[in-house]
Amino acid sequence: MEYIYAAMILHSAEKDINEENVKSIIEAAGIEADEARIKALIAALEDVDIDEAMETTAMAAAAPAAAPAAAEAVEEEEEEEEEEEEASEEEAAAGLGALFG
């Protein structure tokens, strides 16, 4: 992951994503740079539109995050309906109690 983060940092800084720059970031983080992994990263990113990849990932991450919020809203509505039903039952019982003393 460190190598991908290094590429993202370079991209955000609008610097060239090349072996030398990635190696510099990795070493600055106190990690021993693996030349083979750096070369593989550079080769893998050759045909990738990083902006599009980051946007797609951000949108994919947002979708699951929205699902629990929607589920909570449904649960709250169900709880409110249950409370209303309980209140109606209590009122009905109180009304019957008044009739029969």
Side-chain angles (χ1 to χ4, degrees):
M1 282 313 273
E2 299 88 6
Y3 295 87
I4 294 171
Y5 291 143
M8 289 173 61
I9 290 170
L10 289 169
H11 177 75
S12 295
E14 298 179 359
K15 304 286 182 181
D16 289 334
I17 301 173
N18 58 37
E19 292 178 29
E20 182 182 330
N21 290 345
V22 171
K23 183 177 179 179
S24 296
I25 291 176
I26 295 296
E27 289 177 346
I31 302 168
E32 187 175 333
D34 181 353
E35 296 290 333
R37 290 179 80 181
I38 293 172
K39 288 180 182 184
L41 173 71
I42 301 303
L45 291 178
E46 241 175 55
D47 298 327
V48 175
D49 181 356
I50 296 175
D51 287 324
E52 183 180 327
M54 289 172 65
E55 184 177 309
T56 302
T57 303
M59 291 174 67
E72 286 180 19
V74 170
E75 288 178 15
E76 287 178 12
E77 288 179 14
E78 290 174 356
E79 288 176 7
E80 289 175 4
E81 290 174 4
E82 289 176 10
E83 289 174 2
E84 289 175 6
E85 289 176 9
E86 289 175 8
S88 296
E89 290 173 7
E90 290 174 3
E91 290 173 357
L96 288 175
L99 286 174
F100 296 107

